[in-house]
Amino acid sequence: MGSVRKASAWLGLVEDSDERYYDDEYAEGAETGEAWVTDPRVRVASESAQEQGRRIATVSPDSFRDARAIGELFRDGVPVIVNLTSMEPSDAKRVVDFAAGLTFGLRGSIERVATRVFLLSPADTQVVSGEAAGRSTQDGFFNQS
């Protein structure tokens, strides 16, 4: 199969007729209905993080209706990163207003991390900015004057 044909097949423009990419053993295993097994360390790590209160949620709402999920997570004491880049500007403004009221009511804080991305931190969470970390290195290893 030529390189142009391979590229076209990869993009889905032509039918891929080259059978050498298919593994018979894989196809047989898929037909048996064997379930994927998740690595148990993943579950243990998430459970210990939940027990120790070390969770951060990321929410990318599509509309204002998704604001409820943000409120429920924040009310449970979970810091929430809200990514509004996929929303219409009018709905994004409503979500920011909701988040500001939510953080005020529960004595948390809200700060802009990037354009249309916000961090909602509960009252018992300390946010360390990169600027504070950068000042501590000025007196340390990187200051060679």
Side-chain angles (χ1 to χ4, degrees):
M1 183 184 287
S3 60
V4 174
R5 179 101 174 136
K6 285 181 186 177
S8 297
W10 185 78
L11 292 171
L13 300 174
V14 296
E15 189 68 31
D16 187 9
S17 61
D18 194 359
E19 297 295 325
R20 65 185 165 153
Y21 294 112
Y22 300 105
D23 188 5
D24 292 334
E25 292 177 17
Y26 177 75
E28 290 172 7
E31 292 173 4
T32 62
E34 295 176 11
W36 286 77
V37 179
T38 305
D39 189 351
R41 292 176 292 179
V42 174
R43 188 181 65 232
V44 171
S46 66
E47 288 173 358
S48 66
Q50 188 172 359
E51 290 169 4
Q52 296 173 7
R54 295 183 184 165
R55 298 183 309 158
I56 297 177
T58 58
V59 179
S60 298
D62 294 327
S63 67
F64 184 72
R65 281 184 249 145
D66 298 332
R68 180 179 179 146
I70 297 168
E72 289 173 349
L73 286 164
F74 190 78
R75 189 175 52 194
D76 291 340
V78 178
V80 181
I81 297 172
V82 182
N83 183 354
L84 302 173
T85 55
S86 64
M87 290 187 74
E88 294 292 323
S90 60
D91 283 342
K93 185 178 183 327
R94 289 179 66 196
V95 171
V96 170
D97 289 343
F98 170 78
L102 181 69
T103 56
F104 178 77
L106 295 175
R107 300 180 187 216
S109 65
I110 182 172
E111 72 181 77
R112 194 176 116 207
V113 177
T115 304
R116 299 181 78 173
V117 179
F118 297 88
L119 170 64
L120 283 62
S121 304
D124 60 347
T125 303
Q126 180 183 6
V127 178
V128 179
S129 67
E131 296 170 359
R135 279 187 254 137
S136 64
T137 59
Q138 291 175 355
D139 299 330
F141 178 76
F142 295 107
N143 188 6
Q144 300 294 322
S145 53

